[in-house]
Amino acid sequence: MNLYHKHLYFFRHCSNPDCFSMECQYGEICRARDYKEMLRKKVLSKFVDALPIPTILKPVQKDAGNTYYEVNMTEFKQKLHSEMPETTVWGYENSYPGPTIEVEAGEKVFIKWQNSLPTMHLLPIDHTVHGAHHDVPDVRTVVHVHGASVEAESDGYPEAWFTNGFKEVGPYFIKKIYRYDNDMRACMLWYHDHALGITRLNVYAGLAGVYIIRSSHERSLNLPSGRFEIPLIIQDKSFRENGSLYYPSQPDQPIEGLDVSIVAEFFGETNLVNGKVWPYLDVEPRKYRFRILNAANSRFYRIQLDSEQLFYQIGTEGGFMEHPIGVTEIMIAPAERVDVIIDFTNMNGKKIKMINDAPAPFPSGDKPNREAVGEVMEFRVSLSLSSIDTSVIPAYIGTLPQLPENMVQQKRYLTLDSKRDRYGRELMIQDDKKWDEPISEIMQVGTVELWYFINLTGDTHPMHIHLNDFQIIDRRPFDVDVFKKKKVIRYTGPAIPPEPQERGWKDTVRANPNEVTRVIKKFGPYTGLYVWHCHMLEHEDYEMMRPFFIINS
């Protein structure tokens, strides 16, 4: 019985069907008040609202050497579907998702991130979660530009949080103006909140946006550009009848004695793209470039086009691949990005749906209902060709430097496991350690390391390592029971090379159950304190995050 049907069962069998008081024999197991609203409300129509395109943020000041932005975090109302009332959300610069920040490779950028949020959170806070205890403010933020090669003080360390007007600050060093040197290849990053213990709530409330690095090499490729290049930020959410965001206050089995308890994962009832529920996009019969980001809390997306045509993938999180590849489906875990071209040439009048069939939780959960989260958005080839399409899908994009294994100076064997807390809840941990335990990953700047993610759980974990990119070496099945008993890796099959869609620079990797996933990474060029963690935000918030420290040689 899945979660929805479990609550529907309790709603139908409850001895107090009105349930407008909190007195009920099923108590929080039912939560019929919330679910009654969901059952009563009208089912939202799909593909009735146009896809919004995030605006490009303008700098406050720009000269030959530096660019300066100010970005404000606020609470406001936004129409997420034409059939719903306005929804109260959080966002950057009064927009959910936030405006796109576009910079040039090597451009020195300074950003003043400003918190102007209210003191009360939109969503239920579990004060038993690390970093979210009653002795810190409920509303606090810190911004992480995900995938950036950046100095530690500007990385958005989870304990470097601050409140409205910097009235209160976290225990880690606070910089009021962050510096981004952008010494990276052309790629799409994203910025989002990273406050310890409430990242899942702040991102779900709307604190996310796209950060794009451009280069002269990118412009020389003659890819679709301008209005023919569009970011697609995919998330899932649930709503109450009044249009407000719904986020559960208890897991499937409520915890006695806790008003609010973290849930193992969150999966919404609707898909949103660029802040709109099930939108459509009118396109011309030509090539378009889409920069796709999975910004969901926990949901994986395995996307396809129902026309069965190809995505031409040209890049991963860290920039371009060496050659484009044509694929009919793409798996995107939370925080992963792909750079693709879709060719709508000679498809005049067609309607093409982007669909999703990834189980939730991944990989062993139920497949999504095709009529609900099984559909993401619709492309309509309804516009006349405005000009001749001279853009290309290049046969060769450029050399992709490799990190060979013979450069490795350190190997680390890092388990991904779960335990039970004092309330009997499952909590996910890394390397058999919680957040507050002493730092165990310490390396000299410039060191090349090989990390073995040993997954002992039933979930695929999207593992993100801060500060620049890595490359996937392989995945290999192993005997989990033997490892748990003897702490020995006994492989049960050959090594599996990364999928073609992953053969580029990455900052997030899917570590699958019953497999050892190996990645190679050079740590630098900066020193200081960074973190590595699962990017399922409910996991990250409840112990599945650890610091690492880069020291001078």
Side-chain angles (χ1 to χ4, degrees):
M1 185 183 293
N2 64 29
L3 177 61
Y4 172 80
H5 287 103
K6 184 181 293 183
H7 288 292
L8 183 58
Y9 172 87
F10 283 117
F11 169 69
R12 287 175 174 167
H13 292 79
C14 183
S15 61
N16 180 13
D18 290 331
C19 204
F20 287 111
S21 74
M22 296 313 292
E23 301 296 328
C24 174
Q25 71 181 62
Y26 295 109
E28 276 296 302
I29 290 179
C30 177
R31 305 204 300 283
R33 173 182 290 196
D34 293 334
Y35 277 85
K36 189 169 184 179
E37 286 189 9
M38 294 184 191
L39 295 168
R40 186 170 56 228
K41 70 187 181 185
K42 177 182 176 182
V43 176
L44 298 175
S45 303
K46 291 198 288 290
F47 318 130
V48 296
D49 294 308
L51 175 79
I53 310 297
T55 59
I56 306 297
L57 185 66
K58 294 181 179 179
V60 174
Q61 183 178 338
K62 186 178 178 68
D63 57 35
N66 306 294
T67 306
Y68 173 67
Y69 294 91
E70 291 182 353
V71 182
N72 204 20
M73 294 168 253
T74 56
E75 179 178 290
F76 51 93
K77 290 184 180 294
Q78 186 168 312
K79 196 82 167 174
L80 305 185
H81 192 285
S82 57
E83 295 172 355
M84 284 198 320
E86 288 186 320
T87 301
T88 300
V89 294
W90 291 357
Y92 299 99
E93 289 299 294
N94 294 312
S95 176
Y96 158 63
T100 298
I101 299 173
E102 281 200 15
V103 305
E104 194 73 12
E107 179 182 359
K108 287 182 173 53
V109 170
F110 297 85
I111 303 180
K112 184 177 183 179
W113 303 102
Q114 301 176 106
N115 180 338
S116 297
L117 294 166
T119 57
M120 182 176 293
H121 210 291
L122 279 177
L123 303 168
I125 296 175
D126 180 351
H127 291 289
T128 69
V129 169
H130 68 195
H133 305 305
H134 287 287
D135 58 350
V136 298
D138 282 350
V139 176
R140 56 198 186 281
T141 58
V142 59
V143 181
H144 169 53
V145 176
H146 181 117
S149 178
V150 62
E151 62 176 7
E153 295 82 2
S154 298
D155 186 53
Y157 192 73
E159 290 185 298
W161 52 261
F162 52 94
T163 63
N164 188 320
F166 288 94
K167 294 183 182 71
E168 295 184 66
V169 297
Y172 186 70
F173 177 77
I174 293 291
K175 259 190 119 166
K176 289 193 175 181
I177 298 178
Y178 281 27
R179 171 174 173 161
Y180 304 93
D181 289 344
N182 299 302
D183 287 328
M184 301 177 68
R185 297 168 291 276
C187 60
M188 183 179 86
L189 312 176
W190 65 301
Y191 61 98
H192 62 80
D193 190 74
H194 211 258
L196 188 68
I198 56 169
T199 296
R200 70 195 185 284
L201 306 179
N202 290 355
V203 173
Y204 186 72
L207 292 177
V210 165
Y211 187 109
I212 293 178
I213 300 177
R214 303 287 187 189
S215 73
S216 56
H217 171 64
E218 176 189 29
R219 287 187 285 274
S220 73
L221 295 172
N222 194 24
L223 302 169
S225 60
R227 69 180 186 275
F228 308 117
E229 179 190 3
I230 298 171
L232 301 178
I233 305 167
I234 305 174
Q235 292 179 301
D236 59 333
K237 297 186 189 297
S238 293
F239 301 95
R240 293 187 172 90
E241 187 179 13
N242 65 4
S244 63
L245 290 172
Y246 171 77
Y247 188 91
S249 60
Q250 287 281 356
D252 290 2
Q253 298 297 323
I255 309 301
E256 187 177 350
L258 289 179
D259 292 331
V260 175
S261 174
I262 193 167
V263 296
E265 295 103 7
F266 171 78
F267 304 109
E269 297 179 316
T270 64
N271 288 322
L272 292 84
V273 185
N274 294 356
K276 192 67 76 172
V277 178
W278 289 309
Y280 70 86
L281 175 67
D282 288 319
V283 298
E284 298 180 16
R286 65 189 303 147
K287 295 183 287 296
Y288 280 73
R289 182 182 180 186
F290 295 103
R291 317 292 287 270
I292 305 176
L293 158 67
N294 180 353
N297 279 33
S298 289
R299 185 179 293 280
F300 288 60
Y301 286 89
R302 184 162 52 209
I303 58 172
Q304 305 166 56
L305 301 173
D306 69 353
S307 58
E308 300 184 355
Q309 67 193 97
L310 296 176
F311 297 97
Y312 295 95
Q313 185 177 342
I314 59 175
T316 55
E317 291 100 273
F320 292 119
M321 304 163 73
E322 194 164 292
H323 302 274
I325 58 171
V327 292
T328 56
E329 66 177 35
I330 299 176
M331 174 61 73
I332 317 176
E336 286 190 303
R337 285 94 67 207
V338 289
D339 191 349
V340 302
I341 294 173
I342 302 177
D343 192 351
F344 299 107
T345 302
N346 299 323
M347 300 189 73
N348 308 58
K350 299 282 188 182
K351 292 183 178 180
I352 302 157
K353 293 184 179 67
M354 180 188 289
I355 57 177
N356 162 52
D357 72 350
F362 190 83
S364 58
D366 295 332
K367 283 201 172 184
N369 182 338
R370 171 61 191 271
E371 298 305 314
V373 285
E375 294 185 329
V376 179
M377 65 173 293
E378 183 176 76
F379 301 100
R380 298 175 179 174
V381 192
S382 58
L383 302 178
S384 300
L385 195 63
S386 59
S387 61
I388 297 173
D389 182 11
T390 59
S391 67
V392 300
I393 303 173
Y396 175 73
I397 301 176
T399 302
L400 188 69
Q402 299 294 316
L403 281 175
E405 285 191 60
N406 61 15
M407 292 181 62
V408 170
Q409 298 157 275
Q410 173 76 41
K411 296 181 180 181
R412 298 187 191 270
Y413 296 84
L414 304 164
T415 56
L416 311 178
D417 203 354
S418 63
K419 288 187 175 180
R420 296 284 171 180
D421 69 5
R422 66 184 186 276
Y423 299 104
R425 300 175 298 188
E426 184 178 56
L427 60 86
M428 296 289 180
I429 56 173
Q430 300 171 171
D431 197 28
D432 200 30
K433 299 178 182 69
K434 295 182 180 179
W435 167 257
D436 287 331
E437 296 186 48
I439 299 172
S440 49
E441 282 68 59
I442 301 173
M443 63 283 295
Q444 291 187 342
V445 65
T447 300
V448 177
E449 297 201 353
L450 186 62
W451 284 23
Y452 292 66
F453 292 122
I454 305 166
N455 191 349
L456 307 175
T457 77
D459 287 339
T460 292
H461 298 283
M463 301 306 300
H464 172 47
I465 309 174
H466 283 217
L467 182 61
N468 65 38
D469 301 315
F470 53 75
Q471 291 177 340
I472 303 172
I473 300 296
D474 54 34
R475 298 179 177 92
R476 193 169 181 183
F478 75 107
D479 192 315
V480 172
D481 291 334
V482 168
F483 185 89
K484 288 182 175 180
K485 291 175 183 175
K486 301 180 179 180
K487 304 301 181 187
V488 172
I489 299 175
R490 179 179 295 171
Y491 291 113
T492 58
I496 305 166
E499 297 171 10
Q501 298 96 312
E502 301 176 304
R503 294 177 188 176
W505 288 97
K506 300 275 292 173
D507 60 46
T508 307
V509 61
R510 299 189 305 277
N512 296 323
N514 308 314
E515 289 182 352
V516 175
T517 301
R518 300 196 304 159
V519 301
I520 187 170
K521 179 181 173 82
K522 184 175 183 179
F523 286 84
Y526 304 99
T527 60
L529 197 57
Y530 297 89
V531 296
W532 62 286
H533 59 88
C534 174
H535 220 284
M536 293 173 72
L537 299 185
E538 283 74 23
H539 292 184
E540 168 186 342
D541 266 348
Y542 200 32
E543 299 297 351
M544 205 167 192
M545 179 162 62
R546 289 281 299 154
F548 67 89
F549 195 67
I550 303 175
I551 60 175
N552 284 313
S553 308

